Amino acid sequence: MTARTYALGIEYCGTTFNGWQVQPDRPSVQAALEEALSSFADHPVSVICAGRTDAGVHATHQVVSFASEAKRAPEGWVRGVNAFLPKTVAVRWARCVPEDFHARFSARSRTYEYWISNDPVRSPLLETTTGWVFRPLDEEKMREGAKALLGVHDFTSFRAAECQAKTPVREVTELSIIRQGSLIGIRISANAFLQHMVRNIVGALIYVGTGREAPGWIAEVLAARSREVSAPTFSPCGLYLTGVGYPENPELPQQGRSPFFGQF
């Protein structure tokens, strides 16, 4: 039988997982998905994802690709695989794609959203789905500081020390900030991201929002090309992968829903 290549859109709550990637003796999103796919297809299935997420990070639009000889309609993959998945993971859509499609290398952009609960008292209901800042945040100052990050830059100041990317240069095409009551949403789109890049940017923007640093400090941190001068890495709880761009595959959904239905 001839194998066909499929792409799936995956949504998950990352709270109970030790990140996306399979790890010995630790729960991962990839392991849960591959187990469900293998059960439904009646043969071992391994997947490639658009972007690995860390422990505690969520997704409304993770994209995976895989090959299977199983004869299933696209809607069958959605309903069938979901029957084998835990309640914290779901297949949102499925498409048959060209054989050379690769969830990671075919992607031309990725979008993340970070959501902050800006409230004097922490909310138990938002404990694992948002970051928490008890001091008042000035979103206008955060927007002003964020402008320095748009465009093509060396993002060394915002990459993890253990990041293995060959180059720290990335192009940020969007950085939007909104407030919905006590929630602040930050949406960032780029051609690709460095390890912890979004969480490090969020940490720096929070320094500006609380008045600890002036908006112009963001540009200074960027120019320094040193992780030591920036803010600490912020919590993973409020981070969501919400979009993956495949302009050469317009038949694929390019964006998922915003976790808190933000209107950026």
Side-chain angles (χ1 to χ4, degrees):
M1 297 179 64
T2 303
R4 302 187 70 180
T5 303
Y6 296 91
L8 303 180
I10 311 297
E11 181 172 297
Y12 53 85
C13 175
T15 303
T16 60
F17 295 104
N18 202 62
W20 166 266
Q21 190 173 8
V22 171
Q23 300 179 48
D25 303 320
R26 294 186 178 185
S28 69
V29 183
Q30 182 182 5
L33 179 61
E34 289 183 343
E35 182 178 349
L37 280 165
S38 299
S39 296
F40 181 63
D42 291 327
H43 66 77
V45 175
S46 59
V47 302
I48 296 166
C49 74
R52 298 172 183 174
T53 52
D54 295 330
V57 176
H58 319 289
T60 65
H61 193 81
Q62 173 71 271
V63 178
V64 304
S65 57
F66 67 97
S68 175
E69 295 178 351
K71 292 183 178 180
R72 305 283 192 271
E75 59 272 16
W77 286 105
V78 175
R79 296 175 183 174
V81 177
N82 282 341
F84 292 97
L85 284 169
K87 294 182 179 180
T88 48
V89 186
V91 178
R92 299 288 304 178
W93 52 263
R95 301 286 191 277
C96 187
V97 291
E99 184 179 353
D100 61 352
F101 177 83
H102 190 288
R104 179 184 175 189
F105 296 134
S106 297
R108 296 292 176 264
S109 65
R110 293 158 182 83
T111 299
Y112 284 88
E113 291 184 19
Y114 197 101
W115 285 85
I116 301 167
S117 173
N118 188 208
D119 195 299
V121 180
R122 65 175 179 84
S123 169
L125 300 179
L126 300 175
E127 182 72 18
T128 61
T129 55
T130 64
W132 175 49
V133 177
F134 65 88
R135 294 185 178 89
L137 288 170
D138 186 330
E139 63 269 26
E140 287 298 330
K141 289 184 177 179
M142 293 169 70
R143 290 189 190 106
E144 184 179 347
K147 292 177 182 178
L149 301 174
L150 291 170
V152 179
H153 300 287
D154 180 327
F155 282 92
T156 296
S157 296
F158 299 97
R159 73 189 296 188
E162 63 272 20
C163 179
Q164 298 180 356
K166 294 181 180 179
T167 173
V169 176
R170 295 292 186 268
E171 181 180 11
V172 173
T173 56
E174 179 190 2
L175 209 170
S176 304
I177 301 171
I178 63 170
R179 178 182 282 275
Q180 295 184 169
S182 62
L183 290 176
I184 288 181
I186 301 171
R187 185 168 73 181
I188 306 179
S189 297
N191 60 338
F193 287 88
L194 302 165
Q195 186 177 6
H196 293 173
M197 179 174 161
V198 177
R199 290 165 57 192
N200 290 335
I201 287 175
V202 169
L205 291 173
I206 288 172
Y207 268 27
V208 171
T210 58
R212 177 167 176 167
E213 300 288 352
W217 174 73
I218 298 289
E220 296 174 5
V221 170
L222 183 67
R225 299 181 183 179
S226 170
R227 183 74 193 98
E228 295 180 359
V229 305
S230 191
T233 305
F234 206 57
S235 163
C237 298
L239 183 58
Y240 299 78
L241 175 59
T242 62
V244 185
Y246 298 99
E248 297 173 6
N249 301 90
E251 73 279 8
L252 298 182
Q254 310 286 303
Q255 190 78 26
R257 57 188 176 182
S258 180
F260 293 95
F261 305 100
Q263 300 298 315
F264 284 92

